Amino acid sequence: MRVAFVGLGIMGHAMATNLVKAGHEVTVWNRTPGKLVEGAGVAPNPGAAAQGAEVVWLCVSDTDAVETVIFGKDGVQASLTEGMIIADSSTISPSATMKFAERVSAKGVAWVDAPMTGSKIGARDGTLVFIVGGSEGPVEQLKPLFAAMGKRIFRMGDTGKGQATKLAMNLQIALIFEGFAEALTLATKLGVDTQQLLSLIEATMVRSGVVDYKGPFILQRDFTPNFPLRLMHKDIRLTLEAAKEARVKLPALETVEEIYEMASEEGNRDLDYAATLMLLEKWAGVQVKGKAA
Ligand code: NA7
């Protein structure tokens, strides 16, 4: 398929690379010039990238970035023609998604929100799980592209439901990780062997994918970003905004948001979100230690 790929960050670069590898005709655009994808064309702006494309795939930071690349100067909007599909893998506001979709529908363009989970490694290996919102027809048309970048897709409903579900997923990741980090901090302060604690977790119902994934990184004190703290913080804020719009109270997430705020002030926003642990360690006056599992 002819695909315009907009946004070559940690995730986007790997995703566009996998589209090229699968034989699709890809043209890329990135705000900061110089980021390239081997085998893909490069366009001078998002509008030029979208010219003649069947699908415009977005993977940019946040709601404002999506609005800019679609509706801003030299944006995708001017190149939209009937039958095109915009697929958005950025994690952004569900209500903004529905407004954007409404605007492009006037040109006969479908909007499929397709945020994903699987982190940097899933993007690299083409094993992402896509959490999708959109009409059945366009979602079906995108299947070859989903297959090139991921291993599963879950269609959650119409446009906006992918973003809504992604926020509900990241809410859980943030809270599960916070529970894990607090447990590690307390256990360390009380003199418990961390390695033993991890073995115990693994053998019990406390086990989770989040703990399995993050545990080894923490024991190696490796906080290089698989999912940067600044982006998890963005998602937590989006979730709280969506909750406010829906008149839902999320007290635990509100507290965790404050932790992310303080961790950012400590200068850790570009580290992995697991670096929120360091704030707890600082307060407790301990450091979680151990060897990689
Ligand atoms: P990164 O690695 O921070 O990459 C973000 C990308 O978004 C990168 O290409 C940025 O371009 C681009 N960006 C950011 N702001 C803008 C604006 N205003 N206009 C155009 N392009 C912009 O994030 P990830 O790849 O890890 O994640 C991307 C999304 O997936 C995000 O929503 C996650 O929550 C999930 P730059 O290179 O900085 O010029």
Side-chain angles (χ1 to χ4, degrees):
M1 293 177 86
R2 290 188 308 281
V3 185
F5 203 101
V6 174
L8 301 174
I10 296 179
M11 301 297 286
H13 188 274
M15 293 162 73
T17 301
N18 282 331
L19 288 178
V20 172
K21 278 188 193 156
H24 298 287
E25 198 183 308
V26 181
T27 303
V28 299
W29 177 81
N30 192 67
R31 177 182 59 176
T32 306
K35 287 190 192 169
L36 301 171
V37 169
E38 210 184 319
V42 189
N45 56 56
Q51 200 77 49
E54 294 162 272
V55 175
V56 179
W57 207 291
L58 311 178
C59 190
V60 291
S61 300
D62 52 25
T63 310
D64 287 347
V66 170
E67 184 162 25
T68 304
V69 299
I70 301 290
F71 303 107
K73 186 174 173 293
D74 297 326
V76 165
Q77 189 179 32
S79 305
L80 293 176
T81 55
E82 176 137 20
M84 277 168 76
I85 303 171
I86 295 176
D88 182 20
S89 280
S90 328
T91 301
I92 69 163
S93 154
S95 56
T97 292
M98 289 194 281
K99 286 184 196 138
F100 297 158
E102 178 76 32
R103 283 172 76 179
V104 300
S105 72
K107 284 197 165 188
V109 173
W111 190 291
V112 173
D113 43 318
M116 66 261 164
T117 183
S119 232
K120 185 169 110 179
I121 296 164
R124 183 196 65 196
D125 297 346
T127 56
L128 292 169
V129 174
F130 287 96
I131 307 166
V132 176
S135 304
E136 275 176 32
V139 172
E140 194 61 36
Q141 280 176 263
L142 294 176
K143 283 211 168 139
L145 305 180
F146 283 126
M149 299 184 285
K151 62 177 178 186
R152 298 278 306 265
I153 78 160
F154 286 83
R155 181 174 171 268
M156 306 308 298
D158 286 332
T159 304
K161 297 294 185 292
Q163 298 292 0
T165 310
K166 172 72 193 279
L167 296 185
M169 295 296 283
N170 276 14
L171 178 162
Q172 294 173 78
I173 295 175
L175 296 189
I176 291 167
F177 182 78
E178 183 61 21
F180 180 46
E182 291 189 11
L184 285 176
T185 306
L186 176 68
T188 300
K189 185 81 178 189
L190 298 179
V192 173
D193 179 86
T194 315
Q195 192 69 62
Q196 271 288 84
L197 174 61
L198 283 190
S199 301
L200 174 67
I201 290 173
E202 203 180 324
T204 63
M205 65 182 282
V206 178
R207 184 175 190 183
S208 80
V210 176
V211 170
D212 283 352
Y213 185 54
K214 291 296 176 193
F217 286 105
I218 286 174
L219 295 193
Q220 291 176 73
R221 309 294 299 172
D222 179 357
F223 296 110
T224 50
N226 279 306
F227 185 39
L229 197 152
R230 66 184 159 82
L231 289 181
M232 181 62 109
H233 193 192
K234 182 250 320 178
D235 289 356
I236 292 170
R237 285 179 171 148
L238 277 176
T239 309
L240 291 173
E241 272 169 38
K244 201 170 167 192
E245 286 168 17
R247 297 179 167 272
V248 171
K249 181 102 185 115
L250 302 176
L253 196 67
E254 282 173 19
T255 303
V256 169
E257 195 277 326
E258 289 171 22
I259 308 263
Y260 277 72
E261 186 65 46
M262 286 182 265
S264 299
E265 282 165 15
E266 297 272 306
N268 292 339
R269 59 192 302 279
D270 289 319
L271 296 180
D272 193 84
Y273 74 89
T276 47
L277 170 73
M278 292 201 270
L279 194 63
L280 304 176
E281 292 177 326
K282 186 175 159 188
W283 290 336
V286 292
Q287 191 179 92
V288 175
K289 290 198 174 73
K291 294 190 292 291

